[in-house]
Amino acid sequence: SDECPDRATLAAVYDLPIFAADGSARPFGSLYDPAYALHSRQLVLFVRHFYCGACQAYLQCLAKSITKEDYFGIPVPTSIIVIGCGKPDLIPHYKKFTGCPFPIFADPTRQLFKKLGMVVSLSIGMVRPEYMKEISAPAWLAGQVTTIRKSLKDPEGIRKRDIVRGGNPMQIGGEFLFEDGEVVWCHRMRNYRNHAEVQVLRKLLELD
């Protein structure tokens, strides 16, 4: 694990708003506060902008690896939640791009990202992650362009102005495991493709 946020940091981010697709807001702390949380543990995944092909591949891989049967078989019931840095009304398109079955919220101000220690970066990284083992860097970049073009042609897809509303392209994310209101494990990305591998998350959730 990277260094976990302390209680003072969690207190500072508790009331920061996260937004659902319909624009409604809730305090970030309501996700992990034992008084409100659905489960005793929460795995919160912070992704890059909503058009990032690497993050889309990551969530697709995660959804295939942690099936509905797996999810309900996690020994310690755990909520899995995704937070991006784009505009909240783009969440339905992101769900369509990724096929992600988990709840998705938006932090368009990126205050959560910043206060929890996630940074901006221009690095693509030297190592291709396992979740992108069949996707080369050129194919990844081309895939983002293709995804946007297809959605622009879809009557129910994104509009041209939405291309710049997906979030800061330099913001990178990370993964945080909360238990009983505290962070017990976390990983902050070092580059564009540096999410914690899905196999790591499966072991963390005691599925393997």
Side-chain angles (χ1 to χ4, degrees), residues 173-198:
E175 300 78 37
F176 293 73
L177 182 66
F178 291 78
E179 186 164 3
D180 296 327
E182 297 187 8
V183 178
V184 295
W185 177 94
C186 72
H187 166 263
R188 297 176 183 85
M189 296 172 70
R190 275 76 169 173
N191 59 67
Y192 286 0
R193 302 183 294 177
N194 186 228
H195 279 292
E197 292 284 9
V198 172

Side-chain angles (χ1 to χ4, degrees), residues 75-114:
V76 179
T78 304
S79 299
I80 300 176
I81 302 152
V82 177
I83 298 179
C85 61
K87 299 298 183 182
D89 59 311
L90 296 179
I91 290 173
H93 301 297
Y94 194 59
K95 274 189 168 286
K96 188 173 182 179
F97 295 157
T98 61
C100 177
F102 309 116
I104 301 177
F105 295 93
D107 169 30
T109 68
R110 298 186 292 121
Q111 285 302 303
L112 274 176
F113 286 78
K114 296 173 184 176

Side-chain angles (χ1 to χ4, degrees), residues 53-66:
C55 290
Q56 290 175 19
Y58 184 64
L59 291 184
Q60 289 166 357
C61 183
L62 185 69
K64 289 178 182 177
S65 179
I66 301 180

Side-chain angles (χ1 to χ4, degrees), residues 39-71:
H39 298 126
S40 61
R41 289 199 313 189
Q42 300 78 34
L43 178 61
V44 183
L45 313 173
F46 288 88
V47 295
R48 297 184 60 239
H49 63 90
F50 284 145
Y51 303 120
C52 173
C55 290
Q56 290 175 19
Y58 184 64
L59 291 184
Q60 289 166 357
C61 183
L62 185 69
K64 289 178 182 177
S65 179
I66 301 180
T67 63
K68 184 183 293 186
E69 291 74 19
D70 285 332
Y71 179 77

Side-chain angles (χ1 to χ4, degrees), residues 10-20 23-33 36-37 42 44 46 81 83 105-107 112 178:
L10 293 182
V13 301
Y14 188 100
D15 288 321
L16 290 178
I18 53 173
F19 297 88
S24 60
R26 62 184 290 182
F28 174 63
S30 66
L31 295 181
Y32 60 83
D33 187 332
Y36 304 104
Q42 300 78 34
V44 183
F46 288 88
I81 302 152
I83 298 179
F105 295 93
D107 169 30
L112 274 176
F178 291 78

